[in-house]
Amino acid sequence: MPELPEVEVTKRGIEKPLLNAIISSIYFDDKSLRKPFSPDLKKLEKARVLKIERRAKYILITTTNGYLLLHLGMTGHLRVLDQKTPMDTHDHFEISLQSGVSIRYNDIRRFGLVLYFDKTQDPYQCEPLKSLGPEPFSEEFTSEYLYSRLHRLKKSIKQALMDNSIVVGVGNIYASEVLFLTKISPLTPSNKITQKQCDSLVEQIPLLLKESIKKGGTTIRDFSGADGKLGYFVQNLYVYGHEGEPCRICGTKIVSTVQGQRSTFYCPHCQK
């Protein structure tokens, strides 16, 4: 699943052709994504694009005729293409611009989301955005905040970091990686995490995510940016996907376990 860096890379990739552009037409097929396409999406036709933002793993496009909210799901990706490019089997949604460019959404498994909000609504106060926690790059994400939230929980620190009501955008890959960087076992109960460990997490989470964004995100299976390029941060992963291989720090074999139905990777020596 694309995580925060991959979504940010996608957002930046579509921003240049979209910003201030006029939408000439909207296309969607008859195959539902996570929710069916709304006929109201057609209201975006003839609108000017005013702003493109990312909130957690969502992309929010503000236009003169309302808002468009996109989520890439498990296998979704957006492409910037010439409108003459033939449609692919799994192309389910398209924004065509007067410039001759299209922003096309492709999703093999169709777990993504495309929602329309009209101008009278505040999308940040609607589902699915209203219950999200702070951005990891924001001033609200402090060590004191994280410590107070974690100490109300008994679930593991790995699962807590992936809880979007606590902090957004730390998905499975980056949760495993940041716990390795801070030498915290992913099995540690959240309410046992110290203030000093929170200091380390709040420092390392933004650094890790920003580094991944710089390298185009992480391509594990099929992620690529809006320009079709793969993400190369996969080369920087210390533990994720490296089960049975020697730790790059101490040489101990990386092990994996399952937490909350997701694979967790860690070094049992470095992360006691």
Side-chain angles (χ1 to χ4, degrees), residues 42-112:
K42 289 287 187 178
K43 294 179 180 179
L44 295 169
E45 293 180 345
K46 313 307 178 188
R48 180 181 294 277
V49 177
L50 303 175
K51 190 186 301 183
I52 301 99
E53 301 169 279
R54 179 196 53 76
R55 177 71 171 109
K57 299 178 188 178
Y58 294 87
I59 295 173
L60 181 65
I61 299 171
T62 302
T63 81
T64 51
N65 291 359
Y67 304 91
L68 179 64
L69 187 68
L70 302 167
H71 189 279
L72 302 180
M74 295 289 291
T75 57
H77 51 264
L78 292 166
R79 291 281 190 276
V80 177
L81 301 168
D82 187 286
Q83 288 173 16
K84 296 177 183 178
T85 305
M87 296 288 284
D88 185 88
T89 304
H90 302 290
D91 288 339
H92 302 298
F93 176 76
E94 182 179 49
I95 306 170
S96 295
L97 307 176
Q98 285 186 357
S99 63
V101 168
S102 282
I103 310 298
R104 198 172 291 173
Y105 178 70
N106 181 287
D107 191 348
I108 294 174
R109 297 181 68 181
R110 305 208 312 271
F111 287 166

Side-chain angles (χ1 to χ4, degrees), residues 4 54-57 129-146 148-149 160-161 163-170 202 205-206 209:
L4 185 151
R54 179 196 53 76
R55 177 71 171 109
K57 299 178 188 178
L129 300 186
K130 68 177 183 179
S131 59
L132 295 174
E135 291 281 331
F137 310 122
S138 69
E139 293 180 358
E140 291 77 21
F141 186 55
T142 65
S143 177
E144 292 73 23
Y145 161 80
L146 185 60
S148 69
R149 289 299 305 271
L161 291 179
D163 184 340
N164 281 324
S165 70
I166 296 174
V167 58
V168 302
V170 187
V202 168
I205 287 171
L209 296 176

